[in-house]
Amino acid sequence: MPRLDLIHHAVKTALLKEGWTITDDPYILKYRRTTLYADLGVERAISVQRHNQKLVIEIKSFVGVSKIQDLKEALGQLDIYSYILEEIEPDRKLYLAVSTTTYQNIFQLDIAQLILKKRYLPLIIVDLETEEITQWIN
């Protein structure tokens, strides 16, 4: 099983504060003979429709030597997870959770802005001090 990301606890707490239920920690992505682990599976009841909104959350700190390398690795990982989710549980939506600092330092770079413009990349931005979600980006 993979190691927890540095901001795992803060993201989990922020989701709980917003009324999400943690269903899986980690969320297991199993496709045929391959098993991968996303950080969290979460659900929240939608009262009007009596359905549950279901998400898979991948949490990243981006603390490697290269911001671009961290971004490339995260995007590749998210691609793989999204392909598997389409096959095994297409009603779950995949999000990348990052800190406000990571969002400001990495996702404001020109290259990251281009990626966000060209590619569907839902983000959850979390303030690590307050352990609260500051922004959802769809």
Side-chain angles (χ1 to χ4, degrees):
M1 210 130 46
R3 241 179 339 162
L4 295 180
D5 194 272
L6 297 172
I7 65 170
H8 186 93
H9 176 74
V11 170
K12 189 173 173 178
T13 300
L15 288 161
L16 290 169
K17 284 182 178 181
E18 285 212 356
W20 291 91
T21 300
I22 308 298
T23 57
D24 302 274
D25 185 2
Y27 180 84
I28 298 170
L29 294 138
K30 186 156 181 60
Y31 181 73
R32 297 185 183 174
R33 291 179 292 197
T34 301
T35 303
L36 300 172
Y37 301 91
D39 291 303
L40 297 172
V42 300
E43 291 184 12
R44 182 167 63 180
I46 303 171
S47 58
V48 176
Q49 301 168 342
R50 296 206 182 270
H51 287 52
N52 283 346
Q53 186 177 10
K54 298 177 182 180
L55 307 179
V56 171
I57 314 290
E58 182 58 27
I59 302 167
K60 293 289 179 203
S61 296
F62 291 83
V63 293
V65 175
S66 167
K67 295 176 187 178
I68 299 302
Q69 184 62 33
D70 284 350
L71 184 60
K72 289 181 350 186
E73 288 175 11
L75 292 173
Q77 187 176 13
L78 291 168
D79 281 345
I80 293 168
Y81 289 1
S82 67
Y83 300 146
I84 294 172
L85 277 173
E86 285 175 16
E87 295 294 319
I88 66 169
E89 200 168 0
D91 60 328
R92 279 203 188 256
K93 189 172 180 182
L94 179 63
Y95 275 83
L96 173 63
V98 299
S99 70
T100 52
T101 302
T102 295
Y103 182 70
Q104 292 163 355
N105 291 341
I106 294 175
F107 287 89
Q108 298 304 313
L109 295 173
D110 291 343
I111 188 69
Q113 287 297 302
L114 175 64
I115 291 165
L116 291 173
K117 179 179 164 186
K118 299 281 187 180
R119 181 179 194 263
Y120 178 69
L121 182 62
L123 295 172
I124 300 171
I125 316 303
V126 176
D127 182 316
L128 298 183
E129 288 183 25
T130 63
E131 295 185 332
E132 293 178 347
I133 295 172
T134 59
Q135 192 173 6
W136 291 82
I137 299 174
N138 288 310

